């Protein structure tokens, strides 16, 4: 932790910014909470920065996530982390029928909520992802923003464990 606490803002953001998909502002905001006693305290500072942001910034964070098995995956433009995470659930090896199911689900979800379906795929299989997405389509928008942020926190925690 000592070396992390000694990082300047730019170095801290370079290291921890990628934990939150295309949203380095989370790490920028958490940097000022140094020193961190341990990894849990570091994560809580990052999580608090995400939750204390204005709603529009939180929505931008959610919208920064790619569709699961979507266009970015096909074009190869996912971040390295997202590529590994989607592959861990088999989303890089879908049958044509499964791909169509994900496309339908992504479209329905975006139309209902105005942002992509976000789930910590490392905790799921492709089948459970589709099942959870169908369940979450019944949520209100406020409920779904809350759940999406919870899922983003899970993703960030797992990514942080990898880099520490």
């Amino acid at each position: 932790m000592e070396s992390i606490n000694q990082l300047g803002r730019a170095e801290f953001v370079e290291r921890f910014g990628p934990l939150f998909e295309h949203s380095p502002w989370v790490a920028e905001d958490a940097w000022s909470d140094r020193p961190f006693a341990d990894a849990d305290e570091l994560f809580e500072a990052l999580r608090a920065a995400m939750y204390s942001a204005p709603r529009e910034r939180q929505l931008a964070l959610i919208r920064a996530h790619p569709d699961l098995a979507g266009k970015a995956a096909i074009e190869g433009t996912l971040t390295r982390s997202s590529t590994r995470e989607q592959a861990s659930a088999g989303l890089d090896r879908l049958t044509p029928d499964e791909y169509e199911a994900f496309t339908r689900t992504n479209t329905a979800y975006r139309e209902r909520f105005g942002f992509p379906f976000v789930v910590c795929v490392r905790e799921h299989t492709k089948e459970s992802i589709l099942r959870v997405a169908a369940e979450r389509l019944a949520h209100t928008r406020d409920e779904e923003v809350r759940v999406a942020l919870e899922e983003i926190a899970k993703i960030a925690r797992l990514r942080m464990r990898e880099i520490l």
Side-chain angles (χ1 to χ4, degrees), residues 18-21 65-69 73 78-93 118-126 129 151-163:
L19 301 180
F20 294 83
E21 199 83 9
H65 283 76
D67 285 327
L68 298 177
L78 292 174
T79 63
R80 280 189 307 233
S81 294
S82 287
T83 299
R84 280 193 315 275
E85 291 159 358
Q86 289 199 27
S88 76
L91 301 187
D92 60 336
R93 301 175 303 279
V118 178
V119 67
C120 184
V121 296
R122 288 197 258 182
E123 295 181 341
H124 291 277
T125 64
K126 54 191 171 183
I129 291 168
E151 293 296 312
I152 289 169
K154 290 178 192 177
I155 294 164
R157 182 180 285 281
L158 291 171
R159 288 177 178 181
M160 190 179 91
R161 285 183 184 154
E162 287 178 347
I163 66 170

Side-chain angles (χ1 to χ4, degrees), residues 40-115:
D40 288 336
E41 198 170 290
L42 166 60
F43 177 73
E44 284 309 314
L46 292 161
R47 189 175 172 278
M50 177 186 73
Y51 278 112
S52 66
R55 178 54 58 115
E56 276 311 308
R57 203 163 207 196
Q58 291 174 342
L59 289 171
L61 170 61
I62 296 168
R63 289 183 185 116
H65 283 76
D67 285 327
L68 298 177
K71 183 179 177 184
I74 292 166
E75 293 175 349
T77 58
L78 292 174
T79 63
R80 280 189 307 233
S81 294
S82 287
T83 299
R84 280 193 315 275
E85 291 159 358
Q86 289 199 27
S88 76
L91 301 187
D92 60 336
R93 301 175 303 279
L94 298 176
T95 67
D97 288 345
E98 290 168 335
Y99 177 76
E100 179 57 34
F102 271 91
T103 300
R104 277 193 317 272
T105 299
N106 287 336
T107 299
Y109 190 92
R110 274 190 183 274
E111 287 175 359
R112 174 143 169 73
F113 299 113
F115 49 80

